[in-house]
C-alpha cells in the first residue's frame, strides 16, 4: 500500500545511491547528495543502504501513510512531526496507517533524508530509482514528487524496530564557515599564480544557484588566465577547453568569475576548464550547505585526501556497527 | 602540476582523489579520437576491481576508481603500463563502426540560428545546409547529457565561435554547430551553440532496447527533410519505432 503525497515540499526527489556505469553515455552518477545520511536513514529503519528514500531540500513534504511503517529522518535538521506531534531526527519511529507525517522548519543543513521501511519501490531506470530530472529518469515519471503521487513501498519486515538512534558523534555535518578541501589539478596551469593563491585565501559564499547539478560560489576575486592560443575544438573564452569529461566534484569557473562545484546530477562533460576537485570525503557536506553559507576552499595534498576518505569509510563502518 | 597543453605523449591529469583523466592531446583530431577509443576499449577488456567506470571523450579518457583499493600512484603505474603497450595515436578506428543517415529539418523553428550561421560560414543558407548535411562526421564523444553526441569533421568554413550566452532550452533532436563540430541532443538541454536543424531521431530513449543507439566512432550524415516529413518521422519515434537503419562501415 502506497504513501500518499499531500504536499511535496520544494524539490523533494526519490534517491538511492545512484547509477554508476553510464557516465560514458552522458548519464551522471546521480543519487543522494549526502550519501552517509541516506545510508544511515536506511539502516535506522532496517532497509538495505541502497534503498530508495526521499531527499527533501529546505522544506519537507506532507505524507499520508496507508499502512504501518517505520520512518527515520537524517541529514539536515528537518524536525518530523507525526499527526502534529514532534519526533526526533536520526531516530526511527513507527507510523500507523492513516497517520500524517509533516515537518517543521529546517533548523540546519539543506537536505533531509526520509527513509521508510521497505524502501520506496518506484520502477528503477538503468539500475537505480534515483530521480535524474534532466534525463527524465527514475523517481516518479523522471521528476520530483508532486501532490497526489502515491509512492509504493517494498515488502515490510514486520519486526522493524523503533526508537533506534544514531549516536550524535556519527552524524556528520559541515562546519560554519564550511571548509571544502580541494586537490588542485586538471587545468590549474591555465590560471595565474596570483589567481591560484586568491582562490584559497578568498572567502566565498554559496550562491542561490545551488542544486543537484552543482553548487555555485560567489564573493571571491575573479580568476586571471595565462595567455594561450585556443587549441582546435576549444571555444575562444579563456575558460574554454576542447570538451572533456567533468569529474564529480570538479570545480569549473566559466569565464573565470564564479566557481561551480559539480555534484551528482552534473552534466558529464563540456568545454569549461576545471581548476581542481573537491576531495571525495567532503562531497556529502556540499549537499548540506544553504545559500549564503560562508565557505573556504582549503588546498590539500593527496595524502590528506586519502586519509579523509579512509576516515569517512571508518565512520560508515561505525554507523553500520551502531545500527546492526 | 603546471603541465603544458602539449600533445607529445599521453598526459595524466589528476581529477581529485578518485579519478584521473588521460589526455592524448589538447585538440580535436581523428588520430587522437582513435587513440582515445582504442585505449578505452583496452581498459574495458580488463576487469580491474578498482575501476568504477571509464568514459572516452574527444581527446581524453576519464577513469574513476576506488583509491582505497588502488591508491592514485599505483593506479597511475597500472595505467602507465597499458599506455606503454603501443603508440596509441597510431591505433586504427574501432571495429563495427556504423554509418547513420539521419533525417534533419533545417531552418525555421527547428533551426533558428541558420541565417546567422550562413553569414558566418560565408555560404548561402542552402549552401550551408548542403555542406553540413553531406559532410561525413564522426561521433567523437557521447556525454554532457543523456544521448548527447559530439560530431567532428566539418570543414574550416565551420570554424565559428560558440554563442557568448547560453540558450536555456532547446528541444530533443536539436542540431547545433560551433568550432567545426556538430552536437545533437536526445533531451531538452541548454546550449551555447547555434542551432540550425532538428532530427526526429533520438539517440537515447528508455523505450528502446538498447536505450542508446550511437557509439563513439560511428559516422553520421544528414538527410534534409521537409517540416511535414519531420513531423511524420517524429511521430514514429514517439511510438518507439526505428526510423533509421545504420549501415556497417567496412
Amino acid at each position: 500500500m502506497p504513501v500518499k503525497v499531500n504536499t511535496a515540499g520544494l524539490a523533494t526527489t526519490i534517491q538511492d545511491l545512484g547509477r554508476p556505469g553510464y557516465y560514458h553515455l552522458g548519464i551522471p552518477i546521480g543519487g543522494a547528495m549526502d550519501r552517509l545520511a541516506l545510508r544511515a536513514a536506511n539502516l535506522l529503519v532496517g532497509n538495505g543502504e541502497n534503498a530508495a528514500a526521499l531527499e527533501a531540500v529546505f522544506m519537507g513534504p506532507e505524507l499520508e501513510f496507508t499502512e504501518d511503517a517505520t520512518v527515520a529522518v537524517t541529514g539536515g535538521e528537518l524536525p518530523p512531526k507525526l499527526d502534529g506531534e514532534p519526533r526526533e531526527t536520526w531516530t526511527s519511529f513507527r507510523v500507523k496507517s492513516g497517520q500524517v507525517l509533516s515537518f517543521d522548519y529546517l533548523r540546519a543543513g539543506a537536505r533531509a533524508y526520509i527513509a521508510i521501511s521497505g524502501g520506496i519501490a518506484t520502477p528503477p531506470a538503468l539500475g537505480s530509482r534515483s530521480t535524474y530530472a534532466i534525463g527524465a529518469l527514475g523517481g516518479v515519471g523522471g521528476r520530483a514528487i508532486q501532490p497526489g503521487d502515491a509512492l509504493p513501498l517494498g515488502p515490510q519486515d514486520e519486526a522493524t524496530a523503533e526508537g533506534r538512534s544514531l549516536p550524535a558523534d556519527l552524524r556528520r555535518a559541515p562546519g560554519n564557515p564550511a571548509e571544502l578541501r580541494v586537490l588542485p589539478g586538471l587545468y590549474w596551469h591555465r590560471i595565474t599564480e596570483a589567481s591560484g593563491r586568491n582562490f584559497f585565501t578568498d572567502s566565498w559564499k554559496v550562491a542561490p544557484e545551488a542544486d543537484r547539478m552543482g553548487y555555485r560560489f560567489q564573493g571571491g576575486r575573479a580568476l586571471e588566465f595565462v595567455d594561450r592560443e585556443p587549441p582546435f575544438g576549444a571555444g575562444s573564452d579563456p575558460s574554454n577547453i576542447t570538451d572533456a569529461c567533468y569529474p564529480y566534484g570538479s570545480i569549473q569557473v566559466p569565464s573565470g568569475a564564479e566557481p561551480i562545484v559539480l555534484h551528482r546530477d552534473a552534466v558529464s562533460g563540456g568545454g569549461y576548464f576545471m581548476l581542481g576537485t573537491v576531495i571525495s570525503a567532503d562531497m556529502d557536506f556540499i549537499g548540506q550547505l544553504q545559500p549564503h553559507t560562508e565557505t573556504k576552499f582549503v588546498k590539500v595534498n593527496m595524502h590528506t585526501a586519502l586519509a579523509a576518505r579512509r576516515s569517512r569509510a571508518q565512520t560508515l563502518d561505525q554507523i553500520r556497527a551502531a545500527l546492526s | 602540476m603546471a603541465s603544458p597543453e602539449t600533445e607529445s605523449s599521453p598526459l595524466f591529469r589528476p581529477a581529485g582523489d578518485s579519478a584521473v583523466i588521460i589526455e592524448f592531446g589538447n585538440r580535436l583530431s581523428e588520430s587522437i579520437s582513435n587513440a582515445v577509443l582504442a585505449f578505452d576499449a583496452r581498459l574495458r577488456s580488463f576487469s580491474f576491481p578498482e575501476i568504477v567506470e571509464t568514459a572516452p571523450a574527444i581527446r581524453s579518457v576519464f577513469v574513476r576508481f576506488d583509491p582505497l583499493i588502488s591508491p592514485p600512484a599505483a593506479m597511475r603505474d597500472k595505467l602507465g603500463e597499458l599506455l606503454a603497450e603501443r603508440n596509441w595515436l597510431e591505433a586504427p578506428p574501432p571495429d563495427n563502426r556504423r554509418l547513420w543517415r539521419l533525417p534533419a529539418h533545417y531552418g525555421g523553428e527547428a533551426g533558428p540560428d541558420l541565417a546567422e550561421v550562413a553569414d558566418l560560414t560565408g555560404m548561402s543558407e542552402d549552401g550551408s545546409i548542403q555542406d553540413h548535411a553531406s559532410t561525413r562526421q564522426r561521433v567523437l564523444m557521447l556525454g554532457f547529457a543523456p544521448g548527447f553526441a559530439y560530431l567532428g569533421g566539418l570543414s574550416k568554413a565551420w570554424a565559428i565561435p560558440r554563442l557568448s550566452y547560453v540558450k536555456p532550452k532547446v528541444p530533443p533532436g536539436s542540431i547545433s554547430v560551433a568550432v567545426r563540430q556538430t552536437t545533437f541532443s536526445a533531451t531538452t538541454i541548454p546550449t551555447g551553440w547555434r542551432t540550425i536543424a532538428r532530427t526526429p531521431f533520438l539517440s537515447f530513449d528508455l523505450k528502446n532496447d538498447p536505450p542508446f543507439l550511437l557509439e563513439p566512432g560511428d559516422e553520421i550524415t544528414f538527410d534534409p527533410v521537409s517540416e511535414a516529413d519531420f513531423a511524420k518521422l517524429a511521430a514514429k519515434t514517439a511510438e518507439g519505432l526505428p526510423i533509421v537503419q545504420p549501415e556497417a562501415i567496412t
Side-chain angles (χ1 to χ4, degrees):
Chain A
M1 291 285 282
V3 173
K4 289 193 221 161
V5 178
N6 290 343
T7 62
L10 276 180
T12 305
T13 53
I14 295 171
Q15 300 293 343
D16 55 23
L17 291 174
R19 53 174 67 81
Y22 298 93
Y23 210 63
H24 65 295
L25 298 168
I27 310 273
I29 40 184
M33 285 185 75
D34 184 346
R35 292 157 67 78
L36 227 44
L38 172 74
R39 289 178 191 268
N42 274 323
L43 289 168
L44 281 164
V45 300
N47 288 346
E49 292 170 30
N50 188 32
L54 293 173
E55 179 181 89
V57 191
F58 304 138
M59 194 178 158
E62 185 182 290
L63 305 172
E64 187 179 334
F65 284 70
T66 62
E67 67 178 298
D68 297 1
T70 304
V71 168
V73 180
T74 65
E77 195 58 24
L78 187 69
K81 295 184 292 186
L82 194 57
D83 285 343
E85 290 295 313
R87 291 287 182 274
E88 296 286 314
T89 54
W90 298 92
T91 303
S92 63
F93 56 91
R94 283 297 280 177
V95 178
K96 292 228 172 326
S97 177
Q99 286 192 303
V100 171
L101 176 66
S102 62
F103 293 86
D104 217 326
Y105 293 110
L106 181 74
R107 305 261 161 80
R111 283 176 177 76
Y113 293 85
I114 306 159
I116 306 170
S117 53
I120 296 171
T122 41
L126 301 176
S128 165
R129 296 186 166 90
S130 287
T131 314
Y132 170 49
I134 298 156
L137 289 179
V140 180
R143 55 159 173 79
I145 63 167
Q146 287 176 0
D149 283 348
L151 309 176
L153 296 181
Q156 293 274 340
D157 178 355
E158 284 298 317
T160 318
E162 63 178 322
R164 303 168 84 189
S165 188
L166 189 71
D169 61 332
L170 295 179
R171 306 172 187 178
R172 279 172 102 237
N176 191 7
E179 284 194 352
L180 299 176
R181 289 169 287 183
V182 171
L183 281 163
L186 288 162
Y187 301 91
W188 182 258
H189 60 279
R190 291 282 305 112
I191 57 171
T192 63
E193 230 179 289
S195 273
R197 276 196 307 272
N198 296 344
F199 178 74
F200 290 115
T201 52
D202 286 352
S203 224
W204 299 88
K205 275 195 162 76
V206 177
E209 300 90 354
D211 58 23
R212 294 188 45 82
M213 292 184 68
Y215 260 59
R216 187 184 281 263
F217 293 85
Q218 297 170 327
R221 279 166 281 184
L223 300 180
E224 283 171 12
F225 291 89
V226 176
D227 288 339
R228 63 130 190 216
E229 265 305 295
F232 174 36
S236 47
D237 188 279
S239 66
N240 284 144
I241 57 169
T242 306
D243 291 38
C245 285
Y246 287 155
Y248 165 57
S250 63
I251 305 166
Q252 61 173 229
V253 196
S255 303
E258 294 175 345
I260 302 169
V261 181
L262 299 184
H263 222 287
R264 301 199 73 86
D265 283 357
V267 296
S268 70
Y272 285 116
F273 100 111
M274 297 152 273
L275 57 72
T277 311
V278 172
I279 68 170
S280 55
D282 286 357
M283 289 302 291
D284 281 352
F285 292 146
I286 294 179
Q288 297 299 355
L289 301 182
Q290 293 180 7
H292 312 300
T293 304
E294 201 179 322
T295 305
K296 289 283 283 193
F297 293 105
V298 179
K299 184 178 177 176
V300 295
N301 59 22
M302 189 62 83
H303 180 78
T304 305
L306 292 180
R309 190 174 168 110
R310 268 192 297 275
S311 155
R312 182 181 173 282
Q314 279 160 7
T315 304
L316 175 58
D317 286 341
Q318 289 165 343
I319 291 172
R320 286 173 178 149
L323 300 177
S324 63
Chain B
M1 185 161 313
S3 12
E5 294 183 36
T6 59
E7 50 202 69
S8 50
S9 58
L11 204 72
F12 287 91
R13 294 207 186 274
D17 54 51
S18 43
V20 65
I21 287 177
I22 302 156
E23 241 176 45
F24 289 88
N26 67 350
R27 68 204 163 90
L28 186 160
S29 93
E30 194 158 315
S31 63
I32 291 172
S33 173
N34 286 343
V36 162
L37 299 179
F39 186 71
D40 182 66
R42 182 79 179 127
L43 264 184
R44 281 166 193 260
S45 72
F46 292 92
S47 298
F48 290 122
E50 64 271 54
I51 292 185
V52 182
E53 59 188 335
T54 70
I58 294 177
R59 57 192 173 85
S60 54
V61 177
F62 170 80
V63 180
R64 197 152 72 84
F65 61 95
D66 184 343
L68 298 188
I69 301 177
S70 251
M75 191 73 248
R76 195 177 159 139
D77 288 346
K78 246 184 209 188
L79 294 169
E81 273 174 40
L82 286 183
L83 283 169
E85 280 182 354
R86 63 174 300 173
N87 180 355
W88 294 92
L89 292 169
E90 287 170 2
D95 294 335
N96 305 320
R97 296 189 308 140
R98 294 157 303 168
L99 171 66
W100 301 78
R101 299 177 198 274
L102 303 182
H105 178 59
Y106 283 83
E109 268 176 48
D113 302 323
L114 178 64
E116 204 181 317
V117 166
D119 275 348
L120 291 164
T121 61
M123 293 178 258
S124 65
E125 286 190 24
D126 281 347
S128 297
I129 293 172
Q130 177 56 31
D131 190 59
H132 184 265
S134 62
T135 303
R136 226 160 129 143
Q137 300 187 62
R138 171 194 271 219
V139 179
L140 296 168
M141 166 178 174
L142 301 170
F144 172 65
F148 187 85
Y150 288 79
L151 315 180
L154 292 174
S155 71
K156 285 203 170 114
W158 295 86
I160 59 181
R162 302 172 196 220
L163 293 168
S164 55
Y165 59 94
V166 171
K167 290 183 280 186
K169 263 184 189 181
V170 295
S174 290
I175 298 172
S176 308
V177 291
V179 284
R180 292 173 68 183
Q181 292 167 78
T182 297
T183 58
F184 67 93
S185 64
T187 54
T188 300
I189 51 148
T191 187
W193 296 34
R194 289 182 173 85
T195 303
I196 58 171
R198 195 173 167 200
T199 175
F201 172 80
L202 280 186
S203 62
F204 164 67
D205 191 342
L206 266 191
K207 288 200 293 288
N208 298 337
D209 185 23
F212 295 90
L213 296 176
L214 299 178
E215 294 274 353
D218 284 358
E219 291 182 354
I220 308 268
T221 60
F222 292 102
D223 182 12
V225 297
S226 67
E227 196 171 354
D229 284 346
F230 173 90
K232 274 183 221 155
L233 292 165
K236 275 181 88 172
T237 297
E239 286 173 44
L241 298 171
I243 58 168
V244 181
Q245 290 301 335
E247 301 155 33
I249 297 176
T250 48

